[in-house]
Amino acid sequence: MKGIHAFATFLIVAFLVVDQCAIKVIAQETTTCEATDGAYCAEASSESSNLYQDTADMLHVAMHTYGYSCLRKLAKEFPNKFQNVSSILNHHMQPIDATQVVSFARDNKEALLKLNATKEHKGEFSMECSGSLLHLWDEAQSKWEENQVTVAIDTDEVEEELVYGIAFDHVKKRIIVSFRGSETGQDWFRNSGVNFKTVTNPHFEEHGTQPKKFRLHTGFHDYLLAQKWGSDREVKYAMIKSELAKALKDYPGYGLFVTGHSLGGALSTIFTFYIASETTMDIPKPVTLISFAAPLVGNDKWQKAFQYLEKDGSVRHLRVSVLEDYVPTIPISSIWPLGNYKHTGINLKLNENQPPELNHSYLMKTGATWGVTKSAFETL
């Protein structure tokens, strides 16, 4: 199963990085349309929008989060096998130039390949880890100099907790929160759960048509929003929010982007909803979420609450998926009547043998006119 998902990851990379023209065509061909009865109408122009570049940028950051996390884990476990280990180990949640991570991967390529070829250590390299290293080794795919990107990552509890990074694009003036995808057994356990958790909708009081409560996948919710049993560490959401508050203070005027792949796509979706709903700090709007191969995370009432933020102009979500990938169809209870899981955002579906498709994840049934058509995506 992981092999299939890794193959889908490869397809995402191939389509977004190699087949640039196809996605540019989507952005150009959807400049005019008519929306009736809540159907999605995408408006973008080549002058005001670059769907490809923003998507490719977020893919680079998502892959970089995988790679940085993988390298830190290996450097901690086998410090004597690599050169200049301190260059990536002495920077817990301290931004370093992203080229340092790339340089470490390239300078130690021979040692990494040798370690991977060693029978007793082969298990250290997951499909995702190996794929991210290929990305870092590829000079054409890991250029960061033009964007002056720095990245900080939290990997203190890499086997037990979610891993996230905060990147800074100083040319495009963006702060990017990135969530690593499924890597450990704990991560895949979170993915495979089917239980719901009922939570209060923070927007119920401000909008009469909003549901009072909605339901989220228990594993994804708890990974981000619940205290880990037996741990004295902060709830991850609170940790990320605190780091983000510092970043926004240091870089006023920067926009906020969020990304993640697989499990990271699910976590990035939930995080985007809650951070865009914050009343205790000033969040730049809209928050732009570009997720890759994200599983389903909530029910139809969650979808409606997320849709409200899109209509309000607080959030815009591009959800990239591949036709062959099974992960966007899980958890399995989404096919049961009681599960009722629903996707959010605008779906860019990639197919190896056909042009990419751009569609909305749902039809709006509230009877209202949805303002996301132009306002939420006019600058993407």
Side-chain angles (χ1 to χ4, degrees):
M1 296 292 275
K2 289 182 72 175
I4 296 173
H5 190 34
F7 174 66
T9 303
F10 165 77
L11 286 180
I12 290 177
V13 174
F15 273 106
L16 295 184
V17 178
V18 179
D19 194 12
Q20 306 178 12
C21 296
I23 298 177
K24 287 180 178 177
V25 167
I26 289 176
Q28 293 168 359
E29 288 186 348
T30 56
T31 55
T32 58
C33 59
E34 294 182 359
T36 57
D37 193 27
Y40 171 67
C41 173
E43 289 191 19
S45 71
S46 56
E47 294 180 0
S48 63
S49 173
N50 193 332
L51 182 62
Y52 159 73
Q53 191 58 59
D54 286 341
T55 306
D57 284 351
M58 294 307 106
L59 178 64
H60 288 321
V61 172
M63 294 298 288
H64 202 82
T65 304
Y66 267 124
Y68 193 0
S69 172
C70 171
L71 290 172
R72 283 180 62 95
K73 178 176 180 290
L74 293 172
K76 284 181 179 179
E77 293 182 9
F78 311 104
N80 296 327
K81 294 184 181 293
F82 304 112
Q83 306 172 31
N84 197 21
V85 170
S86 62
S87 65
I88 62 167
L89 285 185
N90 293 343
H91 302 281
H92 174 72
M93 286 315 297
Q94 295 297 315
I96 66 170
D97 193 311
T99 56
Q100 283 185 246
V101 181
V102 175
S103 295
F104 180 87
R106 292 179 185 169
D107 292 345
N108 289 284
K109 182 176 180 179
E110 185 176 341
L112 287 162
L113 290 172
K114 185 177 179 179
L115 188 68
N116 189 36
T118 306
K119 187 176 181 180
E120 60 266 31
H121 298 314
K122 200 170 184 67
E124 303 291 337
F125 292 81
S126 66
M127 292 280 189
E128 290 78 8
C129 175
S130 299
S132 64
L133 291 179
L134 290 173
H135 182 82
L136 294 176
W137 289 335
D138 187 338
E139 186 174 351
Q141 302 302 335
S142 55
K143 290 183 178 178
W144 295 92
E145 294 85 350
E146 64 269 24
N147 283 31
Q148 301 174 27
V149 172
T150 59
V151 62
I153 194 164
D154 173 32
T155 57
D156 269 5
E157 302 291 338
V158 67
E159 294 295 335
E160 300 296 332
E161 298 183 4
L162 72 88
V163 173
Y164 73 95
I166 297 180
F168 304 88
D169 185 330
H170 298 296
V171 170
K172 296 184 177 178
K173 298 189 182 306
R174 293 172 177 171
I175 298 169
I176 306 161
V177 179
S178 174
F179 292 86
R180 190 194 67 180
S182 303
E183 178 81 8
T184 68
Q186 182 79 357
D187 291 338
W188 284 97
F189 175 76
R190 296 287 182 181
N191 272 357
S192 62
V194 297
N195 294 327
F196 271 127
K197 174 166 286 189
T198 301
V199 296
T200 300
N201 180 1
H203 301 284
F204 172 68
E205 297 293 340
E206 60 193 73
H207 197 279
T209 64
Q210 280 289 294
K212 185 174 183 178
K213 295 180 182 294
F214 53 73
R215 304 176 80 189
L216 291 174
H217 180 282
T218 300
F220 301 151
H221 172 278
D222 289 356
Y223 226 12
L224 182 66
L225 296 165
Q227 180 79 41
K228 183 176 177 292
W229 187 84
S231 173
D232 59 357
R233 299 250 289 173
E234 267 190 295
V235 172
K236 277 289 182 173
Y237 176 79
M239 293 173 62
I240 303 170
K241 178 182 168 183
S242 177
E243 293 292 339
L244 182 58
K246 297 176 190 174
L248 290 169
K249 183 177 179 180
D250 290 341
Y251 300 105
Y254 276 40
L256 179 57
F257 279 64
V258 185
T259 192
H261 170 262
S262 183
L263 169 64
L267 297 171
S268 65
T269 304
I270 297 174
F271 175 81
T272 296
F273 175 84
Y274 280 101
I275 204 68
S277 304
E278 277 292 340
T279 58
T280 61
M281 58 188 291
D282 188 17
I283 299 296
K285 306 290 179 62
V287 179
T288 299
L289 166 63
I290 300 180
S291 61
F292 301 92
L296 295 129
V297 301
N299 69 349
D300 55 340
K301 292 181 179 179
W302 147 260
Q303 183 192 67
K304 186 174 182 180
F306 195 99
Q307 177 182 315
Y308 171 66
L309 290 186
E310 291 179 296
K311 179 183 176 183
D312 185 57
S314 296
V315 166
R316 50 187 186 174
H317 179 195
L318 182 68
R319 184 175 58 81
V320 183
S321 63
V322 172
L323 183 63
E324 291 85 356
D325 192 6
Y326 72 94
V327 171
T329 68
I330 61 174
I332 194 66
S333 63
S334 62
I335 64 175
W336 299 352
L338 294 178
N340 201 24
Y341 278 94
K342 300 290 184 181
H343 270 304
T344 59
I346 296 163
N347 179 217
L348 177 61
K349 182 176 288 186
L350 309 177
N351 187 340
E352 188 176 13
N353 301 312
Q354 296 179 18
E357 299 176 12
L358 187 66
N359 298 293
H360 208 281
S361 294
Y362 41 71
L363 292 177
M364 187 176 178
K365 299 297 185 182
T366 61
T369 302
W370 192 24
V372 73
T373 304
K374 183 175 181 180
S375 61
F377 263 83
E378 60 188 357
T379 59
L380 183 60

